[in-house]
Amino acid sequence: MAKFLDKVNSTQNDWAIKLLEFKPTDRVLEIGFGSGRTIKMISEIVNRGLVAGVDFSKRMVAVATRRNRKAIKAGLVEIKLGEAKSLTYEDDFFDKVLAVYVIYFWEEPVKVLREVWRVL
């Protein structure tokens, strides 16, 4: 499933990476990171900041953790199991947030968007 998601989502995720113009010191959150492919790509640009991710799938957390193990060990990447409607980060913590093809999983999209706004 992770390989399939990488294939079908890569064009949109790659476009989002270009659009967000990441800087090396940014703090970035990806909501619904799937296999962790995009987190890995972002962490190669954001190499003095933090790239964090939250996903509700235990399986995807395991896959993404394996894929990003070196960056996690270096303190550049943080992978969490959780839901976007209750993020465990402080207000104004992130510079940028990425969430591609996930809004249809949100039972309360307005609540999630308020939470995203809070951590930005």
Side-chain angles (χ1 to χ4, degrees), residues 6 30 33-46 50-54 60-80:
D6 283 349
E30 183 177 12
F33 52 75
S35 74
R37 172 193 175 270
T38 304
I39 285 180
K40 184 172 179 123
M41 291 175 68
I42 296 169
S43 72
E44 292 169 359
I45 302 165
V46 179
L50 175 70
V51 182
V54 63
M60 291 298 105
V61 168
V63 170
T65 298
R66 273 194 309 278
R67 179 175 252 168
N68 290 282
R69 67 181 167 273
K70 288 180 185 176
I72 291 169
K73 189 173 182 178
L76 298 172
V77 168
E78 184 175 278
I79 303 285
K80 290 185 177 184

